Amino acid sequence: MSEERIVRRTLETPHRGRTDWARVDGMSEEQVEAAALADADNPPWTEEELMNARLVMPEDRGKVPISIRLDGEVVDYFKAQGRGYQSRINAVLRAYVRSQRAKYRP
């Protein structure tokens, strides 16, 4: 992997997202609420979901570089969502591991 493509982030140099905050700041509370309700990919949480939510901080065990072969369909799906697709794949796999551990924990 080329060292020039590696981007390191710290708390002092956070990643700047692609959110158009000027546009959001110019919206009324009702417009923000309507936009959130119209987002099919991220519907508002129900009261039950809010009551059951908990903050989970990831363990800082670091990443392990590996080579893996995935179906093209899988890679295309995650890449289509934009930057950070490898992190999203990792998050999906981590959620699966945790669900399996919880299911089979004595």
Side-chain angles (χ1 to χ4, degrees), residues 25-76:
D25 289 340
M27 296 170 71
S28 69
E29 191 64 33
E30 292 78 22
Q31 290 172 318
V32 171
E33 183 84 17
L37 290 171
D39 185 354
D41 292 332
N42 190 22
W45 286 20
T46 64
E47 288 297 322
E48 181 180 355
E49 289 171 327
L50 287 170
M51 294 297 293
N52 292 324
R54 62 187 175 94
L55 177 63
V56 178
M57 298 301 289
E59 295 178 26
D60 188 16
R61 293 180 47 191
K63 304 277 181 161
V64 178
I66 66 165
S67 175
I68 186 172
R69 295 186 182 276
L70 302 171
D71 291 344
E73 177 184 10
V74 171
V75 175
D76 291 345

